[in-house]
Amino acid sequence: MAVGRLAVLLPVFVDLGLAFVAFLATFKLIRSISSKFVKAGLHGRDLNKTSKEPVPEALGVIAGAVYLVTMFVFIPVPFLVHLWTQDGPDPHEKFDDFVSALLSICCMIFLGFSDDVLNLPWRHKLTLPTIASLPLLMAYVVNIGSTTIIIPKPLRLLLGFSVDLGLLYYVYMGMLAVFCTNSINILAGINGVEAGQSLIIAMSIAVFNMCELSGDYGSMHLFSLYIVLPFVGVTAALLYHNWYPSSVFVGDTFCYFAGMTFAVVGILGHFSKTVLLFFIPQIINFIYSVPQLFRLVPCPRHRLPKYDPPSDRLGMSFAQFKKTELNVVGRLIIWILQLFRLASVQTDIGEDNNEMRINNLTLINFIIKLCGPMKEQNVTIFILCLQVAGSVLAFLIRYRLSLVFYDT
């Protein structure tokens, strides 16, 4: 029993040590290399500050590179421990999972950095994660292959105990990868929010994995823990530099890297529904943003909150457009948003009173609508508190409410 426990715990402790080393490496590399990004032209200006100093962009690529190196160093550890102890779960069946997981993550880091450099259009941001998830899906087919879902208790009389979704299940997993990568990318734009939300989600997943190690799917949660711990390390270091006032921008590179990491652990760890529970704020932000994302309501290129230099606070940003630009669906959506006071809408503006404007439909703007103009760091803290509350709610749903719908 002691040897078996050692075979499980020793790789975890090694992974924790490597995660700490990854934190230190990322911390020091960002500090020493960020100036080279400015020289290479990878920089921007923080629109929420009065300073016009260039801020290095796409520093998420450093976090991603350190993460990959850390995982390459770690991969032999579970195999060596198993050979040494001749006990514990056989890690050989997980080798394909390791390779496919890191291949998908590596692809997304590359594609994210390409987006930061080339500024790819949105249609590519939807298709590229799908392509990058193919190695992940192939590993799932080979090593797991289950496409059956358990039906909730209230629907079992109608649909039975379980349903085999077949190809639709793989479509769902591909869409999960797209959602995870882009949902973090659209809840962004202020210092610390991308790295902060990702860190909280990763820590929530790690806690969930540790709670499930003794369960029926313990080996899958152990694999997830191997993947997520080094991610916590590199993200914590990146958050330090990206916290208000930010000295670096994480870029789309980090958003894609983080999203694919979460998709990897959700799919190969076989707990994709639980991963989505940890994305409650991102789901709310996505639903609220749908009218602009799908162009039902005019959407400007940037939906950042508006910075007011005299007060050093962030206010709502608006999309202004002619009334004729709205179709019937767009008018209906704005009417519903007005009815439930979910948006600030102003009509009959412009020279001929034929224009209107609506606050950009993001969770950040909605928070400012409710609370009034806020300091940038306070907005970030508010969102991160929502993220923590979302994780607490996720655990309550997973371990309490789920018993109403499922047997265990």
Side-chain angles (χ1 to χ4, degrees):
M1 178 66 71
V3 174
R5 186 176 300 172
L6 177 65
V8 172
L9 294 181
L10 184 56
V12 175
F13 287 135
V14 172
D15 202 29
L16 273 172
L18 289 174
F20 181 69
V21 173
F23 169 83
L24 295 177
T26 305
F27 183 88
K28 292 185 177 180
L29 281 172
I30 290 176
R31 177 170 287 178
S32 60
I33 296 179
S34 58
S35 59
K36 297 184 183 297
F37 281 68
V38 177
K39 292 179 181 178
L42 287 172
H43 61 81
R45 188 172 75 85
D46 194 333
L47 299 177
N48 296 327
K49 308 286 188 306
T50 54
S51 172
K52 296 183 179 180
E53 288 293 319
V55 180
E57 287 187 315
L59 269 295
V61 72
I62 293 180
V66 173
Y67 174 83
L68 289 175
V69 172
T70 303
M71 289 304 303
F72 294 155
V73 172
F74 172 75
I75 283 177
V77 173
F79 300 90
L80 293 175
V81 171
H82 180 73
L83 290 174
W84 174 42
T85 62
Q86 293 296 312
D87 203 346
D90 186 356
H92 290 82
E93 63 184 26
K94 291 297 180 183
F95 183 74
D96 291 343
D97 289 349
F98 271 119
V99 173
S100 62
L102 294 183
L103 180 57
S104 291
I105 292 171
C106 184
C107 285
M108 284 314 300
I109 293 172
F110 170 73
L111 294 172
F113 190 66
S114 300
D115 188 15
D116 282 324
V117 174
L118 303 175
N119 197 18
L120 300 175
W122 263 103
R123 62 181 180 273
H124 294 158
K125 296 182 182 184
L126 296 177
T127 55
L128 293 178
T130 306
I131 297 172
S133 67
L134 291 178
L136 196 60
L137 299 182
M138 288 304 301
Y140 185 89
V141 172
V142 172
N143 294 330
I144 301 176
S146 174
T147 58
T148 301
I149 62 170
I150 305 300
I151 301 299
K153 292 178 183 178
L155 300 177
R156 286 179 184 174
L157 287 176
L158 182 64
L159 300 175
F161 182 80
S162 64
V163 172
D164 187 356
L165 296 180
L167 183 62
L168 288 177
Y169 195 82
Y170 296 104
V171 174
Y172 154 71
M173 288 191 292
M175 292 176 65
L176 176 68
V178 174
F179 173 77
C180 288
T181 52
N182 285 286
S183 63
I184 295 174
N185 199 24
I186 63 175
L187 183 53
I190 57 176
N191 292 170
V193 74
E194 299 100 322
Q197 62 184 299
S198 299
L199 181 62
I200 293 170
I201 293 172
M203 293 175 69
S204 301
I205 291 174
V207 172
F208 174 68
N209 291 150
M210 288 186 283
C211 292
E212 295 292 320
L213 283 179
S214 59
D216 295 336
Y217 297 97
S219 62
M220 293 182 178
H221 287 281
L222 187 62
F223 170 80
S224 172
L225 201 58
Y226 292 158
I227 295 291
V228 83
L229 288 178
F231 178 83
V232 170
V234 299
T235 303
L238 183 61
L239 177 60
Y240 177 88
H241 293 285
N242 186 236
W243 191 256
Y244 182 92
S246 175
S247 59
V248 301
F249 292 148
V250 301
D252 290 341
T253 307
F254 176 77
C255 297
Y256 289 171
F257 162 44
M260 184 54 74
T261 302
F262 298 143
V264 161
V265 298
I267 293 172
L268 296 182
H270 209 51
F271 58 95
S272 59
K273 294 188 294 294
T274 304
V275 166
L276 284 176
L277 288 177
F278 294 127
F279 276 75
I280 290 175
Q282 287 73 24
I283 292 172
I284 293 172
N285 182 61
F286 172 75
I287 294 172
Y288 188 56
S289 299
V290 159
Q292 286 191 316
L293 294 179
F294 290 93
R295 307 294 176 179
L296 301 173
V297 173
C299 180
R301 178 170 177 77
H302 296 292
R303 302 191 298 163
L304 301 174
K306 186 177 180 180
Y307 177 62
D308 180 50
S311 64
D312 192 30
R313 294 176 183 272
L314 299 181
M316 289 187 294
S317 61
F318 289 83
Q320 185 166 329
F321 47 88
K322 294 182 179 179
K323 296 177 183 179
T324 54
E325 294 181 43
L326 285 176
N327 56 25
V328 175
V329 177
R331 292 193 189 97
L332 177 62
I333 289 172
I334 290 181
W335 179 78
I336 293 173
L337 292 173
Q338 278 186 294
L339 179 65
F340 292 98
R341 299 183 179 181
L342 297 176
S344 176
V345 181
Q346 300 175 12
T347 59
D348 300 327
I349 60 176
E351 293 183 359
D352 300 323
N353 293 330
N354 64 346
E355 294 184 0
M356 62 185 303
R357 69 175 191 165
I358 182 173
N359 65 273
N360 285 311
L361 302 177
T362 67
L363 183 60
I364 295 174
N365 275 310
F366 185 70
I367 290 171
I368 295 172
K369 178 184 184 298
L370 294 179
C371 302
M374 300 171 67
K375 296 278 189 180
E376 182 177 359
Q377 65 268 40
N378 291 340
V379 179
T380 300
I381 292 171
F382 195 110
I383 291 175
L384 298 188
C385 288
L386 281 180
Q387 193 72 57
V388 172
S391 291
V392 172
L393 178 60
F395 279 108
L396 289 175
I397 293 173
R398 175 62 180 80
Y399 289 109
R400 289 289 181 259
L401 187 60
S402 64
L403 296 177
V404 177
F405 298 96
Y406 298 98
D407 297 319
T408 56

